[in-house]
Amino acid sequence: MLWVAIIGLVMTVAAVALAGRRVLFLFRLATSGQPAPERIEHAKANVGTEIKTQLVEVFGQRKLLKWTPSGTAHFFVMWAFFILLTVYIEAYGAIIKGAITGHADFHIPLIGTWPVLGFLQDFIAVACLLGLVAFSVIRIKNSPKKLGRDSRFAGSHLGGAWLTLFMIFNIIWTLFLARAAAVNTGNFPYKSGAFASEAVAKILPHGETAAELLEQVALLLHIGFMLVFLVLVVNSKHLHIFTAPLNVLFSRRPDGMGAAQPMRSNGKVLDFEEADPDVDVFGRGKIQDTTWKGFLDFYTCTECGRCQSQCPAWNTGKPLSPKMLILDQRDHALAVAPYLLAGEEERAGFGEDVLALLDKPLVAEDGVIHPDVLWSCTNCGACVEQCPVDIEHIDHILDMRRYQVMIESSFPSEAGVMLKNLENKGNPWGMSEMKRAEWIEELAFEVPIVDEKMPADTEYLFWVGCAGALEDRAKKTTKAVAELLHIAGVKFAVLGPMEACTGDPARRLGMEFLFNMLAQQNIETLNDAGVKKIVATCPHCFNTLANEYPQLGGMFEVVHHTQLLARLVEEGRLTPITPIEEKITYHDPCFLGRHNKVYAQPRDIMAKVPGVQAQEMHRCKDRGFCCGAGGARMWMEERIGKRINTERVDEALTTDPDTVSTACPFCLVMLGDAINEKKNAGEAKETLEVVDVAQLLIKSVKGA
């Protein structure tokens, strides 16, 4: 057995050295990027939460188990890696003990002879084999050759995936070969429980010499395949086996969404009064501007394509694939890494091919990322929500947009009009601030407008928002909410002309400076007025006020109107009476649903309205489909592929609704436009309309 131990240990040292060299290279590359101290600080400050997250997301595979059968298959294959570590302890123990004593009858101290462990090892290995079969069937069934861009594997490195499945298969069959041979030599530590190993043993040679030789060869094969797989893993997309727990640990909460992150340079939040574009990092203009967390995202991508399959841009024929956005940056980073990590003298020896890659712009017609990819994103968050390893695609896109907008002044021309309007008039349409209170004149009761201070008995500041105050369709929601609050006896006031855009369109476009200016102006207005509690009808305003203003010191208690109205109905302060005998399908606004996890309250309100027959679209809640307006897309033309709002209305029409309801003024406009197009084409009934949940409620409460 001495020769077995020597070969096994030599292979181990060589493989560990190769793998270690690769890991060191990846570590150096990641840490050559921008620092992200906030990630470490957050993890340290929330140890309990992060431990729970690891248990649920990594070990419990919460996101993957939403996708059956692939999630179930992955669950068993992943747990096979953990449980079968005990088999490798046994394998190394056997070859070392065999070399020392001549007998390979090793077992793990204390637990190494328990039948339950032998059973668990065999069970998980069999389950892993079945998982490999499932993966193979899924990959064949969803092959890009067959489905084209409809395949979630389109663009993935398919050869590496098949090689990985083949290597795992080799590990499993050699495991059974080694264990079965050990049964026949009497070296197997388990007297019962290992059902599969015992079954294989019956068909192997039983002669003493043949069985011993087979056991020795099988042990070397088993260890050898594992070591080759280790080297393969650290050089492939399956690096996520090691990096996924780290990526989950350092991801943003909740779920990498909610607030867009402030701009940082060298780990510090930029102060725009002192920031210098010649010195500070403004977004991401080159791959070196990526933070180490961004590099960790690159390393962790499994190329599974779940993000791609859910992306509204990709699903409507646009070039944006969240998966390829990450992979293209990763491939570029790895290609230029030797130069980035080289010393001054070494850099002189690099060829023109590497230097050409270094000169390649990150975003350009001939760059790593095409501009159409960057500007197709709606910030809907479907990619982040579905990613099983917590990659934060939106952060990557926002960083690149910030550089393009603030340094290159390169962005869709129509968005420039929106930015000028925000800067000059405080709203995207460029209307006079005096128009913000005109909707009040159409009500039969008085709505207090804050002059300097909120009235003493006022509970909520009603944040009307630009659309709610200035867009005709959205104004119907505003008036409905105001009436409902009045009926419920809720004391509220509005800012009227003192209200300005929250800055969400500017920030999501990438113009962080303008966002800061608008946000600080609003925070000062709200603080001066003594505002503590805010209700907002626009999910974009709601998200910005609740999640992003705290970054600038604006601390307010913010609720969405559906949350407040649902509570008022529950408390009996609003009572829906008049039946609305209609089939209604509800569209989840992305910034209310995925970004802030408000799914129940709008549906609770509809459920309390007599007569409503709720019909869910096949893509709803956390898999809901965007209307196309987020990420400042509301103010950009959609010139590539099918319009996203048209796709969403096509989905709504499959439920044969009388009404489409939602809870966002942007969604109201986008879905309304698509419905009107369908009506003009004779593809939707003339009575079909899109309304806010608040409009349904006021109709039932008032009986009008």
Side-chain angles (χ1 to χ4, degrees):
M1 289 288 287
L2 180 61
W3 65 275
V4 177
I6 292 172
I7 294 174
L9 293 176
V10 168
M11 288 194 304
T12 302
V13 170
V16 170
L18 288 171
R21 181 184 178 190
R22 177 66 174 181
V23 170
L24 179 61
F25 162 77
L26 294 172
F27 176 79
R28 290 179 61 213
L29 178 57
T31 53
S32 71
Q34 287 285 301
E38 75 281 2
R39 304 289 185 152
I40 298 172
E41 291 166 7
H42 182 274
K44 285 181 178 178
N46 298 275
V47 174
T49 301
E50 294 306 327
I51 291 174
K52 180 182 177 182
T53 302
Q54 290 289 318
L55 292 174
V56 173
E57 300 291 346
V58 179
F59 295 100
Q61 300 277 279
R62 179 184 68 87
K63 286 188 177 180
L64 272 170
L65 287 174
K66 292 180 179 179
W67 296 72
T68 52
S70 61
T72 305
H74 192 278
F75 179 86
F76 284 115
V77 173
M78 181 207 69
W79 272 98
F81 279 95
F82 296 132
I83 295 172
L84 296 182
L85 285 174
T86 59
V87 175
Y88 279 103
I89 294 172
E90 292 171 350
Y92 276 101
I95 65 172
I96 292 171
K97 185 176 181 182
I100 296 172
T101 68
H103 301 286
D105 56 340
F106 174 84
H107 69 267
I108 300 171
L110 300 178
I111 63 170
T113 60
W114 289 357
V116 66
L117 180 57
F119 169 80
L120 192 57
Q121 290 169 335
D122 271 21
F123 171 79
I124 201 67
V126 171
C128 181
L129 277 177
L130 294 175
L132 297 181
V133 172
F135 284 147
S136 299
V137 171
I138 290 168
R139 286 192 167 273
I140 292 170
K141 184 179 178 182
N142 295 282
S143 169
K145 290 183 179 179
K146 186 187 302 182
L147 301 179
R149 67 181 285 134
D150 289 337
S151 168
R152 63 184 174 92
F153 301 120
S156 299
H157 298 85
L158 302 178
W162 283 110
L163 178 59
T164 298
L165 293 181
F166 178 65
M167 290 303 299
I168 298 174
F169 170 72
N170 285 329
I171 288 171
I172 299 300
W173 76 258
T174 55
L175 174 146
F176 283 123
L177 182 65
R179 286 163 69 84
V183 170
N184 291 338
T185 61
N187 291 328
F188 197 55
Y190 308 101
K191 301 305 180 186
S192 63
F195 63 96
S197 298
E198 292 169 1
V200 176
K202 294 177 181 179
I203 62 174
L204 295 182
H206 285 69
E208 183 177 341
T209 303
E212 286 183 358
L213 180 61
L214 184 60
E215 181 184 13
Q216 294 166 4
V217 172
L219 282 171
L220 284 178
L221 282 173
H222 186 50
I223 290 172
F225 278 124
M226 179 274 290
L227 294 172
V228 171
F229 183 62
L230 172 64
V231 175
L232 174 67
V233 162
V234 297
N235 285 275
S236 73
K237 76 183 187 73
H238 283 80
L239 182 64
H240 77 270
I241 292 172
F242 301 114
T243 59
L246 291 173
N247 212 46
V248 171
L249 174 65
F250 295 117
S251 63
R252 295 200 285 113
R253 302 284 176 251
D255 301 325
M257 290 190 282
Q261 293 298 282
M263 283 180 63
R264 294 176 182 268
S265 178
N266 296 313
K268 297 179 180 179
V269 176
L270 276 179
D271 180 345
F272 286 103
E273 292 184 2
E274 299 179 0
D276 181 356
D278 294 328
V279 177
D280 292 304
V281 174
F282 272 57
R284 189 180 306 176
K286 53 186 182 298
I287 203 67
Q288 301 95 302
D289 296 336
T290 309
T291 66
W292 59 258
K293 173 56 173 67
F295 278 100
L296 196 56
D297 279 350
F298 299 161
Y299 301 162
T300 309
C301 181
T302 69
E303 304 185 25
C304 66
R306 286 172 175 82
C307 58
Q308 180 174 287
S309 70
Q310 300 300 298
C311 176
W314 182 261
N315 275 276
T316 53
K318 296 168 182 62
L320 169 61
S321 157
K323 175 184 70 179
M324 297 310 299
L325 178 94
I326 299 298
L327 296 187
D328 288 344
Q329 290 183 90
R330 182 192 73 187
D331 292 346
H332 177 67
L334 293 175
V336 300
Y339 183 90
L340 297 178
L341 300 179
E344 290 297 327
E345 294 182 3
E346 295 174 300
R347 288 183 174 182
F350 280 90
E352 293 183 2
D353 53 341
V354 174
L355 296 177
L357 280 174
L358 282 167
D359 292 336
K360 191 174 185 179
L362 191 58
V363 178
E365 295 278 344
D366 58 346
V368 178
I369 304 297
H370 194 281
D372 287 340
V373 169
L374 193 65
W375 298 111
S376 292
C377 179
T378 66
N379 280 206
C380 73
C383 49
V384 182
E385 172 70 35
Q386 293 300 328
C387 180
V389 291
D390 285 5
I391 290 170
E392 296 159 352
H393 313 76
I394 293 177
D395 287 358
H396 291 263
I397 288 171
L398 280 181
D399 272 350
M400 286 186 275
R401 283 187 172 188
R402 286 163 170 170
Y403 183 85
Q404 291 300 304
V405 172
M406 301 181 72
I407 302 299
E408 297 290 336
S409 296
S410 176
F411 50 90
S413 58
E414 56 269 23
V417 177
M418 178 267 290
L419 291 177
K420 288 179 182 177
N421 289 335
L422 285 178
E423 186 173 3
N424 297 327
K425 295 293 185 179
N427 67 80
W429 290 283
M431 296 185 186
S432 167
E433 63 269 16
M434 300 310 297
K435 287 184 171 290
R436 284 186 176 271
E438 287 184 356
W439 61 273
I440 298 174
E441 299 170 7
E442 301 173 34
L443 297 176
F445 56 91
E446 186 177 339
V447 174
I449 299 177
V450 176
D451 185 10
E452 293 183 357
K453 287 286 184 182
M454 287 267 285
D457 62 343
T458 305
E459 185 178 2
Y460 286 96
L461 184 283
F462 179 12
W463 187 274
V464 179
C466 301
L470 304 172
E471 206 283 327
D472 289 339
R473 285 167 287 188
K475 279 197 278 189
K476 294 178 182 178
T477 303
T478 303
K479 290 183 286 186
V481 171
E483 281 196 78
L484 288 165
L485 295 180
H486 178 70
I487 292 169
V490 176
K491 299 294 183 180
F492 70 96
V494 298
L495 290 176
M498 291 172 61
E499 184 181 293
C501 179
T502 60
D504 168 82
R507 180 168 236 193
R508 298 289 165 168
L509 184 75
M511 181 53 83
E512 189 75 6
F513 173 76
L514 182 54
F515 164 76
N516 269 258
M517 185 183 77
L518 290 166
Q520 288 170 354
Q521 173 187 325
N522 283 324
I523 290 169
E524 183 178 352
T525 299
L526 292 167
N527 285 337
D528 289 347
V531 174
K532 301 296 181 185
K533 297 167 72 174
I534 299 173
V535 57
T537 55
C538 175
H540 298 264
C541 296
F542 166 60
N543 181 69
T544 307
L545 291 165
N547 300 323
E548 299 183 352
Y549 275 22
Q551 297 170 354
L552 298 169
M555 309 300 290
F556 311 102
E557 181 185 332
V558 189
V559 296
H560 187 255
H561 74 282
T562 57
Q563 293 175 304
L564 179 56
L565 295 178
R567 178 162 62 81
L568 294 174
V569 171
E570 188 67 28
E571 292 173 352
R573 296 169 67 181
L574 290 173
T575 306
I577 298 174
T578 305
I580 299 178
E581 303 289 348
E582 294 180 0
K583 280 200 298 185
I584 299 177
T585 190
Y586 176 71
H587 163 79
D588 286 283
C590 300
F591 275 72
L592 183 63
R594 270 190 296 266
H595 282 265
N596 286 283
K597 306 298 178 279
V598 179
Y599 298 114
Q601 290 89 334
R603 290 173 170 83
D604 290 344
I605 293 171
M606 290 171 56
K608 293 293 177 65
V609 175
V612 168
Q613 303 171 48
Q615 305 280 329
E616 292 283 13
M617 287 180 260
H618 75 279
R619 286 194 274 212
C620 61
K621 298 182 180 177
D622 62 352
R623 291 196 192 180
F625 199 77
C626 185
C627 75
R633 290 289 328 169
M634 180 85 166
W635 292 274
M636 289 184 258
E637 290 297 325
E638 195 170 344
R639 298 184 175 91
I640 303 173
K642 184 178 181 179
R643 293 181 65 88
I644 293 174
N645 60 339
T646 302
E647 174 69 14
R648 187 52 166 167
V649 165
D650 282 341
E651 291 182 0
L653 292 177
T654 62
T655 68
D656 188 29
D658 298 309
T659 298
V660 177
S661 69
T662 189
C664 170
F666 287 8
C667 297
L668 202 69
V669 170
M670 298 296 285
L671 299 179
D673 287 347
I675 285 173
N676 288 335
E677 289 177 4
K678 292 294 180 182
K679 287 180 180 179
N680 293 335
E683 298 173 6
K685 47 193 173 188
E686 286 298 321
T687 55
L688 180 63
E689 60 178 349
V690 56
V691 299
D692 191 278
V693 170
Q695 293 172 259
L696 292 173
L697 183 58
I698 191 65
K699 186 176 179 182
S700 181
V701 169
K702 290 181 65 177

